[in-house]
PDB file of all heavy atoms in Angstrom:
ATOM      1  N   ALA A   1       0.815  -1.225   0.007  1.00  0.00           N
ATOM      2  CA  ALA A   1      -0.009   0.008   0.019  1.00  0.00           C
ATOM      3  C   ALA A   1       0.859   1.257  -0.022  1.00  0.00           C
ATOM      4  O   ALA A   1       1.993   1.246   0.524  1.00  0.00           O
ATOM      5  CB  ALA A   1      -0.924   0.013   1.232  1.00  0.00           C
ATOM      6  N   ASP A   2       0.342   2.312  -0.597  1.00  0.00           N
ATOM      7  CA  ASP A   2       1.016   3.631  -0.530  1.00  0.00           C
ATOM      8  C   ASP A   2       0.596   4.319   0.780  1.00  0.00           C
ATOM      9  O   ASP A   2      -0.101   3.729   1.646  1.00  0.00           O
ATOM     10  CB  ASP A   2       0.753   4.496  -1.764  1.00  0.00           C
ATOM     11  CG  ASP A   2      -0.745   4.885  -1.895  1.00  0.00           C
ATOM     12  OD1 ASP A   2      -1.498   4.720  -0.945  1.00  0.00           O
ATOM     13  OD2 ASP A   2      -1.121   5.344  -3.016  1.00  0.00           O
ATOM     14  N   ASP A   3       0.979   5.556   0.941  1.00  0.00           N
ATOM     15  CA  ASP A   3       0.716   6.282   2.217  1.00  0.00           C
ATOM     16  C   ASP A   3      -0.771   6.459   2.411  1.00  0.00           C
ATOM     17  O   ASP A   3      -1.196   6.700   3.616  1.00  0.00           O
ATOM     18  CB  ASP A   3       1.438   7.607   2.208  1.00  0.00           C
ATOM     19  CG  ASP A   3       2.946   7.433   2.234  1.00  0.00           C
ATOM     20  OD1 ASP A   3       3.436   6.345   2.723  1.00  0.00           O
ATOM     21  OD2 ASP A   3       3.675   8.393   1.949  1.00  0.00           O
ATOM     22  N   ASP A   4      -1.577   6.414   1.389  1.00  0.00           N
ATOM     23  CA  ASP A   4      -3.042   6.610   1.516  1.00  0.00           C
ATOM     24  C   ASP A   4      -3.762   5.318   1.516  1.00  0.00           C
ATOM     25  O   ASP A   4      -5.009   5.310   1.360  1.00  0.00           O
ATOM     26  CB  ASP A   4      -3.534   7.488   0.359  1.00  0.00           C
ATOM     27  CG  ASP A   4      -2.950   8.907   0.415  1.00  0.00           C
ATOM     28  OD1 ASP A   4      -2.944   9.488   1.560  1.00  0.00           O
ATOM     29  OD2 ASP A   4      -2.487   9.411  -0.581  1.00  0.00           O
ATOM     30  N   GLY A   5      -3.063   4.186   1.599  1.00  0.00           N
ATOM     31  CA  GLY A   5      -3.749   2.907   1.634  1.00  0.00           C
ATOM     32  C   GLY A   5      -4.100   2.356   0.230  1.00  0.00           C
ATOM     33  O   GLY A   5      -4.842   1.360   0.166  1.00  0.00           O
ATOM     34  N   ASN A   6      -3.725   3.010  -0.802  1.00  0.00           N
ATOM     35  CA  ASN A   6      -4.030   2.554  -2.160  1.00  0.00           C
ATOM     36  C   ASN A   6      -3.021   1.469  -2.584  1.00  0.00           C
ATOM     37  O   ASN A   6      -1.859   1.492  -2.301  1.00  0.00           O
ATOM     38  CB  ASN A   6      -3.962   3.714  -3.182  1.00  0.00           C
ATOM     39  CG  ASN A   6      -4.923   4.808  -2.870  1.00  0.00           C
ATOM     40  OD1 ASN A   6      -6.150   4.534  -2.705  1.00  0.00           O
ATOM     41  ND2 ASN A   6      -4.435   6.036  -2.736  1.00  0.00           N
ATOM     42  N   ARG A   7      -3.563   0.440  -3.322  1.00  0.00           N
ATOM     43  CA  ARG A   7      -2.772  -0.670  -3.835  1.00  0.00           C
ATOM     44  C   ARG A   7      -3.100  -0.846  -5.318  1.00  0.00           C
ATOM     45  O   ARG A   7      -4.231  -0.573  -5.778  1.00  0.00           O
ATOM     46  CB  ARG A   7      -3.095  -1.921  -3.032  1.00  0.00           C
ATOM     47  CG  ARG A   7      -2.968  -1.799  -1.497  1.00  0.00           C
ATOM     48  CD  ARG A   7      -3.558  -2.937  -0.802  1.00  0.00           C
ATOM     49  NE  ARG A   7      -3.583  -2.758   0.628  1.00  0.00           N
ATOM     50  CZ  ARG A   7      -2.698  -3.207   1.482  1.00  0.00           C
ATOM     51  NH1 ARG A   7      -1.648  -3.916   1.051  1.00  0.00           N
ATOM     52  NH2 ARG A   7      -2.834  -2.999   2.827  1.00  0.00           N
ATOM     53  N   SER A   8      -2.128  -1.410  -6.056  1.00  0.00           N
ATOM     54  CA  SER A   8      -2.338  -1.590  -7.423  1.00  0.00           C
ATOM     55  C   SER A   8      -1.532  -2.763  -7.967  1.00  0.00           C
ATOM     56  O   SER A   8      -0.580  -3.166  -7.421  1.00  0.00           O
ATOM     57  CB  SER A   8      -2.014  -0.302  -8.198  1.00  0.00           C
ATOM     58  OG  SER A   8      -0.627  -0.007  -8.121  1.00  0.00           O
ATOM     59  N   GLU A   9      -2.031  -3.244  -9.126  1.00  0.00           N
ATOM     60  CA  GLU A   9      -1.315  -4.222  -9.948  1.00  0.00           C
ATOM     61  C   GLU A   9      -1.454  -3.728 -11.369  1.00  0.00           C
ATOM     62  O   GLU A   9      -2.525  -3.649 -11.952  1.00  0.00           O
ATOM     63  CB  GLU A   9      -1.967  -5.577  -9.770  1.00  0.00           C
ATOM     64  CG  GLU A   9      -1.210  -6.697 -10.570  1.00  0.00           C
ATOM     65  CD  GLU A   9      -1.820  -8.058 -10.287  1.00  0.00           C
ATOM     66  OE1 GLU A   9      -2.992  -8.131  -9.876  1.00  0.00           O
ATOM     67  OE2 GLU A   9      -1.097  -9.044 -10.588  1.00  0.00           O
ATOM     68  N   GLY A  10      -0.290  -3.313 -11.984  1.00  0.00           N
ATOM     69  CA  GLY A  10      -0.298  -2.739 -13.268  1.00  0.00           C
ATOM     70  C   GLY A  10       0.008  -1.287 -13.192  1.00  0.00           C
ATOM     71  O   GLY A  10       0.744  -0.792 -12.343  1.00  0.00           O
ATOM     72  N   ASP A  11      -0.640  -0.479 -14.079  1.00  0.00           N
ATOM     73  CA  ASP A  11      -0.286   0.933 -14.196  1.00  0.00           C
ATOM     74  C   ASP A  11      -1.448   1.771 -13.616  1.00  0.00           C
ATOM     75  O   ASP A  11      -2.507   1.924 -14.289  1.00  0.00           O
ATOM     76  CB  ASP A  11      -0.093   1.267 -15.667  1.00  0.00           C
ATOM     77  CG  ASP A  11       0.565   2.654 -15.843  1.00  0.00           C
ATOM     78  OD1 ASP A  11       0.854   3.282 -14.868  1.00  0.00           O
ATOM     79  OD2 ASP A  11       0.808   3.025 -17.002  1.00  0.00           O
ATOM     80  N   ALA A  12      -1.323   2.225 -12.421  1.00  0.00           N
ATOM     81  CA  ALA A  12      -2.371   3.029 -11.733  1.00  0.00           C
ATOM     82  C   ALA A  12      -1.848   4.338 -11.228  1.00  0.00           C
ATOM     83  O   ALA A  12      -0.664   4.431 -10.807  1.00  0.00           O
ATOM     84  CB  ALA A  12      -2.987   2.220 -10.578  1.00  0.00           C
ATOM     85  N   TRP A  13      -2.707   5.404 -11.278  1.00  0.00           N
ATOM     86  CA  TRP A  13      -2.335   6.702 -10.812  1.00  0.00           C
ATOM     87  C   TRP A  13      -3.475   7.112  -9.862  1.00  0.00           C
ATOM     88  O   TRP A  13      -4.644   7.273 -10.249  1.00  0.00           O
ATOM     89  CB  TRP A  13      -2.231   7.674 -11.954  1.00  0.00           C
ATOM     90  CG  TRP A  13      -1.733   9.031 -11.550  1.00  0.00           C
ATOM     91  CD1 TRP A  13      -2.473  10.046 -11.006  1.00  0.00           C
ATOM     92  CD2 TRP A  13      -0.400   9.491 -11.640  1.00  0.00           C
ATOM     93  NE1 TRP A  13      -1.675  11.125 -10.800  1.00  0.00           N
ATOM     94  CE2 TRP A  13      -0.373  10.837 -11.170  1.00  0.00           C
ATOM     95  CE3 TRP A  13       0.786   8.950 -12.145  1.00  0.00           C
ATOM     96  CZ2 TRP A  13       0.795  11.642 -11.122  1.00  0.00           C
ATOM     97  CZ3 TRP A  13       1.896   9.736 -12.108  1.00  0.00           C
ATOM     98  CH2 TRP A  13       1.879  11.038 -11.570  1.00  0.00           C
ATOM     99  N   PHE A  14      -3.160   7.351  -8.567  1.00  0.00           N
ATOM    100  CA  PHE A  14      -4.123   7.793  -7.578  1.00  0.00           C
ATOM    101  C   PHE A  14      -3.957   9.215  -7.273  1.00  0.00           C
ATOM    102  O   PHE A  14      -2.868   9.709  -7.073  1.00  0.00           O
ATOM    103  CB  PHE A  14      -3.917   6.915  -6.306  1.00  0.00           C
ATOM    104  CG  PHE A  14      -4.104   5.434  -6.473  1.00  0.00           C
ATOM    105  CD1 PHE A  14      -3.010   4.594  -6.640  1.00  0.00           C
ATOM    106  CD2 PHE A  14      -5.425   4.902  -6.547  1.00  0.00           C
ATOM    107  CE1 PHE A  14      -3.233   3.259  -6.830  1.00  0.00           C
ATOM    108  CE2 PHE A  14      -5.619   3.542  -6.721  1.00  0.00           C
ATOM    109  CZ  PHE A  14      -4.505   2.683  -6.858  1.00  0.00           C
ATOM    110  N   SER A  15      -5.131   9.890  -7.232  1.00  0.00           N
ATOM    111  CA  SER A  15      -5.147  11.357  -6.898  1.00  0.00           C
ATOM    112  C   SER A  15      -6.321  11.627  -5.956  1.00  0.00           C
ATOM    113  O   SER A  15      -7.476  11.261  -6.294  1.00  0.00           O
ATOM    114  CB  SER A  15      -5.269  12.197  -8.138  1.00  0.00           C
ATOM    115  OG  SER A  15      -5.231  13.607  -7.864  1.00  0.00           O
ATOM    116  N   SER A  16      -6.012  12.147  -4.765  1.00  0.00           N
ATOM    117  CA  SER A  16      -7.030  12.416  -3.744  1.00  0.00           C
ATOM    118  C   SER A  16      -7.907  11.201  -3.517  1.00  0.00           C
ATOM    119  O   SER A  16      -9.119  11.312  -3.347  1.00  0.00           O
ATOM    120  CB  SER A  16      -7.878  13.605  -4.231  1.00  0.00           C
ATOM    121  OG  SER A  16      -7.122  14.771  -4.399  1.00  0.00           O
ATOM    122  N   SER A  17      -7.258  10.087  -3.449  1.00  0.00           N
ATOM    123  CA  SER A  17      -8.050   8.793  -3.225  1.00  0.00           C
ATOM    124  C   SER A  17      -7.402   8.020  -2.068  1.00  0.00           C
ATOM    125  O   SER A  17      -6.211   8.107  -1.810  1.00  0.00           O
ATOM    126  CB  SER A  17      -7.982   7.932  -4.477  1.00  0.00           C
ATOM    127  OG  SER A  17      -8.651   8.615  -5.559  1.00  0.00           O
ATOM    128  N   GLU A  18      -8.265   7.214  -1.391  1.00  0.00           N
ATOM    129  CA  GLU A  18      -7.826   6.459  -0.269  1.00  0.00           C
ATOM    130  C   GLU A  18      -8.381   5.014  -0.311  1.00  0.00           C
ATOM    131  O   GLU A  18      -9.519   4.819  -0.717  1.00  0.00           O
ATOM    132  CB  GLU A  18      -8.313   7.082   1.071  1.00  0.00           C
ATOM    133  CG  GLU A  18      -7.797   8.476   1.324  1.00  0.00           C
ATOM    134  CD  GLU A  18      -8.375   9.064   2.590  1.00  0.00           C
ATOM    135  OE1 GLU A  18      -8.986   8.275   3.377  1.00  0.00           O
ATOM    136  OE2 GLU A  18      -8.279  10.282   2.784  1.00  0.00           O
ATOM    137  N   ASN A  19      -7.483   4.084   0.102  1.00  0.00           N
ATOM    138  CA  ASN A  19      -7.857   2.689   0.301  1.00  0.00           C
ATOM    139  C   ASN A  19      -8.541   2.122  -0.928  1.00  0.00           C
ATOM    140  O   ASN A  19      -9.537   1.336  -0.889  1.00  0.00           O
ATOM    141  CB  ASN A  19      -8.788   2.540   1.562  1.00  0.00           C
ATOM    142  CG  ASN A  19      -8.221   3.033   2.740  1.00  0.00           C
ATOM    143  OD1 ASN A  19      -7.006   2.813   3.022  1.00  0.00           O
ATOM    144  ND2 ASN A  19      -8.965   3.726   3.619  1.00  0.00           N
ATOM    145  N   CYS A  20      -7.989   2.436  -2.091  1.00  0.00           N
ATOM    146  CA  CYS A  20      -8.499   1.849  -3.369  1.00  0.00           C
ATOM    147  C   CYS A  20      -7.545   0.754  -3.874  1.00  0.00           C
ATOM    148  O   CYS A  20      -6.365   0.737  -3.517  1.00  0.00           O
ATOM    149  CB  CYS A  20      -8.680   2.967  -4.429  1.00  0.00           C
ATOM    150  SG  CYS A  20      -9.877   4.195  -3.949  1.00  0.00           S
ATOM    151  N   PHE A  21      -8.102  -0.103  -4.693  1.00  0.00           N
ATOM    152  CA  PHE A  21      -7.313  -1.102  -5.360  1.00  0.00           C
ATOM    153  C   PHE A  21      -7.630  -1.115  -6.872  1.00  0.00           C
ATOM    154  O   PHE A  21      -8.755  -1.084  -7.273  1.00  0.00           O
ATOM    155  CB  PHE A  21      -7.573  -2.532  -4.840  1.00  0.00           C
ATOM    156  CG  PHE A  21      -6.887  -3.630  -5.626  1.00  0.00           C
ATOM    157  CD1 PHE A  21      -5.497  -3.803  -5.555  1.00  0.00           C
ATOM    158  CD2 PHE A  21      -7.638  -4.506  -6.469  1.00  0.00           C
ATOM    159  CE1 PHE A  21      -4.841  -4.768  -6.334  1.00  0.00           C
ATOM    160  CE2 PHE A  21      -6.945  -5.475  -7.183  1.00  0.00           C
ATOM    161  CZ  PHE A  21      -5.546  -5.607  -7.071  1.00  0.00           C
ATOM    162  N   VAL A  22      -6.534  -1.131  -7.697  1.00  0.00           N
ATOM    163  CA  VAL A  22      -6.728  -1.150  -9.126  1.00  0.00           C
ATOM    164  C   VAL A  22      -5.916  -2.262  -9.739  1.00  0.00           C
ATOM    165  O   VAL A  22      -4.685  -2.482  -9.449  1.00  0.00           O
ATOM    166  CB  VAL A  22      -6.201   0.188  -9.746  1.00  0.00           C
ATOM    167  CG1 VAL A  22      -6.186   0.122 -11.293  1.00  0.00           C
ATOM    168  CG2 VAL A  22      -7.126   1.302  -9.323  1.00  0.00           C
ATOM    169  N   HIS A  23      -6.542  -3.080 -10.554  1.00  0.00           N
ATOM    170  CA  HIS A  23      -5.873  -4.098 -11.442  1.00  0.00           C
ATOM    171  C   HIS A  23      -6.024  -3.596 -12.846  1.00  0.00           C
ATOM    172  O   HIS A  23      -7.083  -3.588 -13.426  1.00  0.00           O
ATOM    173  CB  HIS A  23      -6.519  -5.462 -11.253  1.00  0.00           C
ATOM    174  CG  HIS A  23      -6.009  -6.467 -12.278  1.00  0.00           C
ATOM    175  ND1 HIS A  23      -4.944  -7.257 -12.066  1.00  0.00           N
ATOM    176  CD2 HIS A  23      -6.491  -6.781 -13.493  1.00  0.00           C
ATOM    177  CE1 HIS A  23      -4.720  -8.048 -13.027  1.00  0.00           C
ATOM    178  NE2 HIS A  23      -5.665  -7.749 -14.035  1.00  0.00           N
ATOM    179  N   SER A  24      -4.872  -3.111 -13.445  1.00  0.00           N
ATOM    180  CA  SER A  24      -4.925  -2.606 -14.805  1.00  0.00           C
ATOM    181  C   SER A  24      -3.608  -2.822 -15.480  1.00  0.00           C
ATOM    182  O   SER A  24      -2.762  -1.996 -15.544  1.00  0.00           O
ATOM    183  CB  SER A  24      -5.226  -1.100 -14.764  1.00  0.00           C
ATOM    184  OG  SER A  24      -5.305  -0.561 -16.096  1.00  0.00           O
ATOM    185  N   PRO A  25      -3.313  -4.050 -15.926  1.00  0.00           N
ATOM    186  CA  PRO A  25      -2.037  -4.417 -16.492  1.00  0.00           C
ATOM    187  C   PRO A  25      -1.789  -3.873 -17.880  1.00  0.00           C
ATOM    188  O   PRO A  25      -0.625  -3.801 -18.279  1.00  0.00           O
ATOM    189  CB  PRO A  25      -2.092  -5.959 -16.485  1.00  0.00           C
ATOM    190  CG  PRO A  25      -3.574  -6.304 -16.621  1.00  0.00           C
ATOM    191  CD  PRO A  25      -4.245  -5.237 -15.853  1.00  0.00           C
ATOM    192  N   ASP A  26      -2.840  -3.387 -18.600  1.00  0.00           N
ATOM    193  CA  ASP A  26      -2.642  -3.107 -20.000  1.00  0.00           C
ATOM    194  C   ASP A  26      -2.760  -1.601 -20.319  1.00  0.00           C
ATOM    195  O   ASP A  26      -2.485  -1.221 -21.444  1.00  0.00           O
ATOM    196  CB  ASP A  26      -3.668  -3.868 -20.871  1.00  0.00           C
ATOM    197  CG  ASP A  26      -3.512  -5.366 -20.752  1.00  0.00           C
ATOM    198  OD1 ASP A  26      -2.317  -5.816 -20.806  1.00  0.00           O
ATOM    199  OD2 ASP A  26      -4.527  -6.098 -20.610  1.00  0.00           O
ATOM    200  N   LYS A  27      -3.303  -0.791 -19.407  1.00  0.00           N
ATOM    201  CA  LYS A  27      -3.464   0.629 -19.703  1.00  0.00           C
ATOM    202  C   LYS A  27      -3.335   1.407 -18.367  1.00  0.00           C
ATOM    203  O   LYS A  27      -3.540   0.830 -17.280  1.00  0.00           O
ATOM    204  CB  LYS A  27      -4.765   0.857 -20.412  1.00  0.00           C
ATOM    205  CG  LYS A  27      -5.967   0.567 -19.565  1.00  0.00           C
ATOM    206  CD  LYS A  27      -7.261   0.982 -20.290  1.00  0.00           C
ATOM    207  CE  LYS A  27      -7.570   0.102 -21.462  1.00  0.00           C
ATOM    208  NZ  LYS A  27      -8.103  -1.249 -21.033  1.00  0.00           N
ATOM    209  N   LEU A  28      -3.068   2.738 -18.483  1.00  0.00           N
ATOM    210  CA  LEU A  28      -3.081   3.574 -17.363  1.00  0.00           C
ATOM    211  C   LEU A  28      -4.486   3.717 -16.780  1.00  0.00           C
ATOM    212  O   LEU A  28      -5.387   4.086 -17.562  1.00  0.00           O
ATOM    213  CB  LEU A  28      -2.490   4.930 -17.706  1.00  0.00           C
ATOM    214  CG  LEU A  28      -2.601   6.033 -16.650  1.00  0.00           C
ATOM    215  CD1 LEU A  28      -1.768   5.656 -15.459  1.00  0.00           C
ATOM    216  CD2 LEU A  28      -2.133   7.353 -17.244  1.00  0.00           C
ATOM    217  N   ALA A  29      -4.649   3.453 -15.503  1.00  0.00           N
ATOM    218  CA  ALA A  29      -5.947   3.731 -14.888  1.00  0.00           C
ATOM    219  C   ALA A  29      -5.753   4.878 -13.852  1.00  0.00           C
ATOM    220  O   ALA A  29      -4.916   4.789 -12.947  1.00  0.00           O
ATOM    221  CB  ALA A  29      -6.408   2.528 -14.167  1.00  0.00           C
ATOM    222  N   VAL A  30      -6.493   5.952 -13.948  1.00  0.00           N
ATOM    223  CA  VAL A  30      -6.452   7.074 -13.058  1.00  0.00           C
ATOM    224  C   VAL A  30      -7.640   7.056 -12.131  1.00  0.00           C
ATOM    225  O   VAL A  30      -8.815   6.962 -12.570  1.00  0.00           O
ATOM    226  CB  VAL A  30      -6.411   8.450 -13.869  1.00  0.00           C
ATOM    227  CG1 VAL A  30      -6.454   9.612 -12.863  1.00  0.00           C
ATOM    228  CG2 VAL A  30      -5.216   8.443 -14.731  1.00  0.00           C
ATOM    229  N   VAL A  31      -7.412   7.048 -10.841  1.00  0.00           N
ATOM    230  CA  VAL A  31      -8.491   7.036  -9.844  1.00  0.00           C
ATOM    231  C   VAL A  31      -8.453   8.428  -9.146  1.00  0.00           C
ATOM    232  O   VAL A  31      -7.466   8.713  -8.441  1.00  0.00           O
ATOM    233  CB  VAL A  31      -8.324   5.889  -8.864  1.00  0.00           C
ATOM    234  CG1 VAL A  31      -9.456   5.888  -7.776  1.00  0.00           C
ATOM    235  CG2 VAL A  31      -8.349   4.567  -9.625  1.00  0.00           C
TER     236      VAL A  31
END
């Protein structure tokens, strides 16, 4: 997890988000 509790597998970009999970191996996912 990052400092905001976000976790990812693949290419993810978190902005002003908390405790999220993203699985995006093929494209950039912005939350």
Side-chain angles (χ1 to χ4, degrees):
D2 65 15
D3 292 341
D4 295 314
N6 298 306
R7 305 168 188 263
S8 64
E9 183 176 19
D11 194 1
W13 187 279
F14 298 100
S15 180
S16 301
S17 298
E18 298 177 14
N19 299 322
C20 296
F21 173 70
V22 171
H23 170 89
S24 182
D26 299 317
K27 64 175 71 74
L28 172 64
V30 177
V31 179

